[in-house]
Amino acid sequence: MSLFTSCAIFLTVWWTVLFCVLPFGTVTHAEAGIDKGDGGDPGAPVDPKIKQKFLTTTWISVLVFAAIYAIVYFKLVPLPRVPGGL
């Protein structure tokens, strides 16, 4: 697996995991009983904890990518060759 392919797969895994991690531990303004006033969305999180979620996303993505890399490196699942490649 080339460096470019590895980076592309890692970024795809990272974004997918991020969207899975984002809803965990969020408390909305409506759940907290805080009035957002005019124009505020009651479903917006009070404290989104983005830094913590990015760190959690990164270590989960590293584990998932390591599993994918091991599967490809040790040829546990044979991948077909695409004829006529670059």
Side-chain angles (χ1 to χ4, degrees):
M1 189 173 354
S2 70
L3 180 63
F4 180 77
T5 304
S6 298
C7 289
I9 291 172
F10 180 78
L11 288 175
T12 303
V13 168
W14 193 90
W15 278 102
T16 304
V17 171
L18 175 66
F19 288 122
C20 294
V21 168
L22 277 177
F24 294 143
T26 57
V27 176
T28 64
H29 283 85
E31 293 171 340
I34 300 171
D35 184 25
K36 285 290 288 181
D38 293 338
D41 186 6
V46 176
D47 182 19
K49 300 177 184 141
I50 294 296
K51 185 176 181 180
Q52 178 185 3
K53 290 182 182 184
F54 279 6
L55 291 173
T56 303
T57 298
T58 301
W59 69 261
I60 291 173
S61 297
V62 166
L63 293 175
V64 171
F65 178 76
I68 292 170
Y69 188 82
I71 288 170
V72 171
Y73 182 78
F74 293 114
K75 297 178 176 133
L76 300 175
V77 176
L79 300 175
R81 295 272 179 193
V82 178
L86 298 176

